[in-house]
Amino acid sequence: MPLASLAEPAHGIAMYGEPALPAGFEHLPYANPDAPKGGTIRMAEPGSYDSLKPWVLRGSPAWPVYTMPGVLAETLMLRSLDEPFTLYGLLAESVETDPERTWVEFALRPEATFSDGSPVTIEDVMWSYETLGTQGHPRYRGAWSKVEKMEQTGPNKIRFTFNTQDRELAMLMGMRPILKKAQWEGKDFSAGGMEVPIGSGPYVISDADPGRGLTFTRNPDWWGKDLPVNQGLHNFDQVIYDYYGDNNAMFEAFKAGDIDVWRELDPTRWASEFDFPRAASGEVVQSEIPNERPSGIMGLVMNTRNPIFADWRVRQAMIEAFNWTFINNALSGGEENRITSYFANSTLAMTPGAPAEGRVKELLEPFAEELPPGTIDGYALPEGSEQPVDRRAMRRGLKLLEETGWTVQNGALSNADGQPFAFEILLNQSGAAMTSASEMKEIAQIFVEALRQYGIQAKVTSLDSAQYVERTNNYDFDVTWYDRALSLSPGNEQLLYWGAAGVTEPGTRNWMGMESPAAEAMISEMLTAASPEEYNAAVKALDRILTAGRYVIPVGYSPISRLAHDARLTFPEQIPVYGDYPGFLPETWWEKADGQ
């Protein structure tokens, strides 16, 4: 029987079977326990922030606080970057659950303390879970609604009992940040703000200057420095984030040596523009980090809350007008791989153009009448043309538009009432996680020019980060840039991404406004699957629903991350399955000792 099925305390938990690392392991396989401590790494972020609370919806948060898991606010368990769906004890020394995963119990380490020296208590844990579940960001609320009861079951034990069959819940309950109750009690937790959170992690925020920088300094009294799960991690004395107006300014700062790491998204520039003096002298080196994680979805998302994008045929017409082959050649020399589905580049992906088979087909067939064409029979994106305009694709698109009542009248695509087909493409002038502002704008402008062939009037609007976050949180856009990383262990968060509640509830990631009973049914199948085979089939079925839904016009992805960095910095030889993913940089990196 799997380890977790024995209903006995264990050092880790996996969705299926046992964790790969046994009790008493010495370190994570992708961490170097001999890495020297010390030094500084200087990173960069675009834009600004006005809040140090990324756990709530309000404000423009400093994302490094959230995207460096466990650096400031630790969780009960730590996700392994080398094992999808596996967690190991961090604040919790053990985890216990029953075979059906109807409950989970954690034993808190008695030695765990916050950075101010006060103990991390069960009371802090219970307060954090309830507060995040009721006042926190919407991403925390779905799982909390499935908790029937939270109770203290011993001096250092907490148990969660669930009201829903969902195997992932036992793991999700180990992945919430634990905050200090005494710091926030009596305050409006849902508000943003610049109060520095007190956490239990290896770093404290020593300086926060919105628009300029954010500095994390190692806590010399960190309680968890000797835990096996932390060996070889968190090696720098300081992690500094400098903020810049845009990506161009960031790149110039990197070339000048003002920041230490640059994540290059353009393969053409990677190959041709890293000959500046510091690179030529060897002070800067280029490293390529492979990964086996899904491509995720990135591109232009159409908001179906706007009636003009409610029909799948209109969305397909937009996809036909987006000539990826030409765009890829023009912007990256044809080097990028196109995203063919949401879980491309992984074993969870559908096969483009191929019909559903076996269990995947069985899962989809009850919803056949409501699903767009191609979901079951097979769907693939148009191939595109090397010419600026793909004439064949445009003819296919225009035919679809005519089917939905849009016709060209006096040179403008209009409906029966004479209203023109016009919309706005909203962009963040600071760029996105995986795309620079300039590249997004170039892609959008090429698309706008192609749409003129239809007689469509589209315009591009760029906003600063605060305005952009406000509008996208409230779905106040027609089309915008969409970037959603997906993991090898998709679960409850998929409801936040694609669930019907997000049609009206602000702050979810369902920017397209999709309402699909089929998608929610597949997510339910994922959460109750008793075997990896059943789980994979449900994910592949979901991948088909999302891709054939034609909500996003996908661009490209790379199965490697291109990191240029100061030569004094390095990382372990063993790269985790997830590659360059939150938890890898700067957590596993270190500064070489003198003379190395």
Side-chain angles (χ1 to χ4, degrees):
M1 296 290 290
L3 178 66
S5 298
L6 299 177
E8 294 181 355
H11 70 293
I13 184 172
M15 188 70 164
Y16 305 104
E18 300 184 18
L21 302 179
F25 70 89
E26 296 182 356
H27 62 89
L28 295 170
Y30 54 86
N32 175 13
D34 299 321
K37 303 292 185 182
T40 296
I41 185 170
R42 191 176 287 270
M43 316 275 278
E45 287 282 318
S48 185
Y49 62 92
D50 60 19
S51 173
L52 295 176
K53 290 171 66 180
W55 311 293
V56 301
L57 181 60
R58 288 154 65 181
S60 182
W63 281 109
V65 180
Y66 177 69
T67 56
M68 293 197 298
V71 166
L72 184 70
E74 292 179 306
T75 52
L76 293 175
M77 309 289 288
L78 177 73
R79 178 197 295 272
S80 169
L81 296 184
D82 221 29
E83 301 172 67
F85 266 145
T86 299
L87 306 176
Y88 294 99
L90 184 57
L91 282 171
E93 61 185 359
S94 67
V95 56
E96 183 177 354
T97 186
D98 64 326
E100 293 77 25
R101 301 271 173 105
T102 62
W103 57 267
V104 66
E105 184 171 277
F106 301 97
L108 188 64
R109 296 185 193 272
E111 70 270 28
T113 61
F114 289 108
S115 59
D116 64 356
S118 61
V120 179
T121 66
I122 293 295
E123 187 177 6
D124 292 308
V125 176
M126 297 179 75
W127 179 89
S128 297
Y129 275 69
E130 182 172 4
T131 302
L132 290 169
T134 56
Q135 301 180 49
H137 194 281
R139 62 177 168 266
Y140 299 116
R141 297 176 189 170
W144 180 248
S145 69
K146 299 179 181 181
V147 175
E148 176 71 27
K149 181 170 58 175
M150 174 178 66
E151 57 187 327
Q152 182 170 352
T153 53
N156 68 329
K157 290 187 176 182
I158 183 170
R159 176 178 288 210
F160 299 90
T161 304
F162 308 121
N163 57 27
T164 304
Q165 184 182 359
D166 182 338
R167 289 184 56 82
E168 191 192 24
L169 289 174
M171 303 183 71
L172 287 182
M173 290 301 105
M175 297 173 64
R176 296 293 182 255
I178 306 304
L179 307 173
K180 183 172 179 174
K181 176 182 178 182
Q183 179 180 15
W184 304 107
E185 194 173 28
K187 301 175 183 177
D188 180 6
F189 184 79
S190 66
M194 289 298 295
E195 182 173 353
V196 175
I198 298 172
S200 61
Y203 291 90
V204 297
I205 294 176
S206 55
D207 185 64
D209 188 354
R212 300 192 64 175
L214 181 67
T215 300
F216 296 87
T217 298
R218 188 210 307 278
N219 176 11
D221 300 318
W222 177 37
W223 74 273
K225 60 181 178 293
D226 295 326
L227 292 181
V229 76
N230 289 322
Q231 297 310 295
L233 302 181
H234 316 301
N235 300 310
F236 297 101
D237 285 341
Q238 281 197 325
V239 179
I240 300 173
Y241 285 85
D242 292 326
Y243 280 73
Y244 293 84
D246 56 40
N247 285 68
N248 289 331
M250 287 166 55
F251 188 52
E252 292 304 313
F254 172 70
K255 291 196 296 184
D258 294 331
I259 58 178
D260 295 326
V261 182
W262 173 259
R263 182 175 283 109
E264 181 54 64
L265 306 176
D266 183 347
T268 302
R269 185 158 71 173
W270 181 254
S272 63
E273 296 188 24
F274 281 78
D275 55 358
F276 49 88
R278 295 186 70 242
S281 69
E283 294 175 80
V284 165
V285 297
Q286 292 173 268
S287 297
E288 295 186 352
I289 314 297
N291 72 77
E292 300 174 39
R293 64 181 184 265
S295 63
I297 190 68
M298 182 167 62
L300 294 168
V301 62
M302 294 167 276
N303 188 351
T304 63
R305 300 171 186 83
N306 183 333
I308 67 173
F309 295 119
D311 195 304
W312 71 265
R313 292 170 293 183
V314 172
R315 301 195 298 273
Q316 179 64 32
M318 298 299 104
I319 291 171
E320 297 284 0
F322 190 87
N323 187 356
W324 166 247
T325 298
F326 173 78
I327 291 172
N328 189 25
N329 289 339
L331 300 186
S332 63
E335 291 294 321
E336 290 292 297
N337 300 318
R338 193 173 198 188
I339 295 171
T340 55
S341 77
Y342 288 52
F343 290 92
N345 192 48
S346 78
T347 57
L348 300 175
M350 64 170 236
T351 302
E357 297 178 341
R359 180 57 177 160
V360 176
K361 184 178 181 181
E362 291 177 6
L363 290 170
L364 292 172
E365 281 182 330
F367 303 93
E369 291 187 5
E370 72 183 57
L371 294 172
T375 309
I376 297 177
D377 296 337
Y379 175 77
L381 296 165
E383 293 183 5
S385 166
E386 293 186 359
Q387 301 301 313
V389 176
D390 184 348
R391 301 289 179 186
R392 291 184 179 180
M394 296 299 290
R395 285 195 291 271
R396 293 193 299 265
L398 189 57
K399 183 175 184 296
L400 290 168
L401 289 167
E402 290 172 348
E403 289 178 8
T404 58
W406 294 98
T407 57
V408 178
Q409 304 171 26
N410 299 320
L413 192 70
S414 306
N415 62 17
D417 297 326
Q419 296 173 322
F421 194 121
F423 65 89
E424 175 188 57
I425 301 176
L426 188 69
L427 300 178
N428 187 337
Q429 66 186 25
S430 297
M434 297 302 294
T435 314
S436 68
S438 60
E439 183 181 4
M440 285 194 303
K441 192 167 185 178
E442 284 184 278
I443 291 172
Q445 292 291 3
I446 293 173
F447 185 45
V448 167
E449 289 302 313
L451 291 172
R452 294 186 195 279
Q453 303 293 316
Y454 284 150
I456 289 176
Q457 304 167 23
K459 67 175 183 178
V460 178
T461 301
S462 295
L463 298 177
D464 64 46
S465 294
Q467 292 175 304
Y468 182 80
V469 169
E470 176 67 21
R471 285 187 59 175
T472 52
N473 272 345
N474 291 287
Y475 318 120
D476 181 16
F477 62 87
D478 302 320
V479 173
T480 190
W481 194 264
Y482 194 63
D483 186 348
R484 290 291 170 259
L486 294 172
S487 75
L488 288 163
S489 55
N492 275 270
E493 80 286 347
Q494 300 296 299
L495 284 172
L496 184 69
Y497 298 175
W498 331 118
V503 175
T504 55
E505 181 182 342
T508 74
R509 298 182 182 180
N510 185 0
W511 287 12
M512 60 278 290
M514 63 179 283
E515 186 170 358
S516 170
E520 295 198 3
M522 296 311 111
I523 296 170
S524 178
E525 289 285 342
M526 290 158 52
L527 299 177
T528 57
S531 70
E533 293 75 20
E534 285 287 309
Y535 174 81
N536 288 352
V539 180
K540 288 183 178 182
L542 176 63
D543 196 24
R544 287 178 168 271
I545 293 167
L546 295 171
T547 305
R550 295 134 162 119
Y551 301 109
V552 179
I553 307 171
V555 291
Y557 77 97
S558 175
I560 61 170
S561 293
R562 303 175 182 93
L563 298 179
H565 54 91
D566 193 293
R568 78 180 199 284
L569 304 179
T570 190
F571 51 88
E573 292 184 6
Q574 182 167 334
I575 304 298
V577 169
Y578 275 99
D580 172 34
Y581 201 74
F584 175 71
L585 171 69
E587 289 87 339
T588 68
W589 289 50
W590 68 89
E591 183 172 314
K592 298 176 184 177
D594 291 343
Q596 290 187 338

